[in-house]
Amino acid sequence: KGEYSRLTTFMETLLTMIWYPTTVATLSRRCRQIVEDAFDASADKESYWKIGSRLHDFGFRACTGLEQSVVGGSAHILSFDGSDTMSACYYVQFELNGGKPVATSVPATEHSVMTSWRTEKEAIENMIKHFGKGVYSIVMDSYDYTNALNKVLPSVAAYKVKQGGFFVVRPDSGNPVDAVLEGLHAIEKVFGADKNKKGYKVVKNAGVIQGDGINIHDIKTILAAVEKAGFSAENCVFGMGGGLLQKLNRDTMSFATKLNFIHYADGEKRDVMKTPKTDGGKYSLPGMLKVVRDPKTFVPVVFPA
């Protein structure tokens, strides 16, 4: 009332700012559903533990600042544990989880590392030397992706196998689907593959990560192509940067705060909604509402309270 009444819309603005972490969390969760469906189709249940690492947050440098990276990166960690957004990993671990780690990552090269060595073979051998007993990722397209897969990779295969770790091939250019399939066929040829109980190929201690401009639609398309080619979804990991933390806005999910119920001073109660004649997509829901998770689809649905 009185002089404080003007704060109503100010508070509405602050509350509406939850659109950003809500949108990132929703996007990440929908990506997880796509991954889970792909695992159901082509991976054995013994491999389902890998699902949490299948979408990696590459979005730190796409953010406008540290604050955004913490908010958006933390939202992603609700559905996946793979992240290179260190600010969010630190915040979630020490501010929200009592110091217990939540997110994970692996040693990985990028183009400056690869091109600083005289040859790609030397760069890869250095990674195998230092990280070859664990999981590590190598970007393979600094010069010629096909040549790196067909010539360089076989030349380091014996050293990789001797060390016993898990080698992840990363394309970063070209057609996203073609690059993943080319990578899968190459590592199958070099390291071999086994068939799982569902009849799909699982490459031995090697995989492919695709993080070049990836969005939710690309993930679905790539996984469908991988399954069609006879490979299990567990062979693939995805990285999403700008598409996860930056290429979205308040309109992505039509996020808005609207009045839906009013209780007048004289005691009258009334449901309220907006229904613009010029845009049927901008209507709001009337009355007191509640959100209930559908027991069959597990999708949150809005109902009258």
Side-chain angles (χ1 to χ4, degrees), residues 27 29 47 71 101 138 157 159 167 173 195 225 245 261 267 272 296 299:
L27 171 61
R29 182 62 186 87
S47 297
V71 175
I138 308 288
Y159 187 24
F167 190 119
S173 56
K195 280 194 175 182
L245 300 186
F261 176 82
V272 179
K296 294 182 178 179
V299 175

Side-chain angles (χ1 to χ4, degrees), residues 110-112 114-115 120 139-145:
E110 43 84 47
H111 296 100
S112 295
M114 299 300 291
T115 56
E120 285 181 298
V139 65
M140 301 291 283
D141 75 328
S142 296
Y143 306 108
D144 185 333
Y145 181 58

Side-chain angles (χ1 to χ4, degrees), residues 166-170 183-184 187 203 205-209 234-236:
F166 195 97
F167 190 119
V168 181
V169 169
R170 179 165 77 91
L184 288 175
I187 60 177
V203 181
N205 296 315
V208 177
I209 182 169
E234 67 186 277
N235 292 291
C236 299

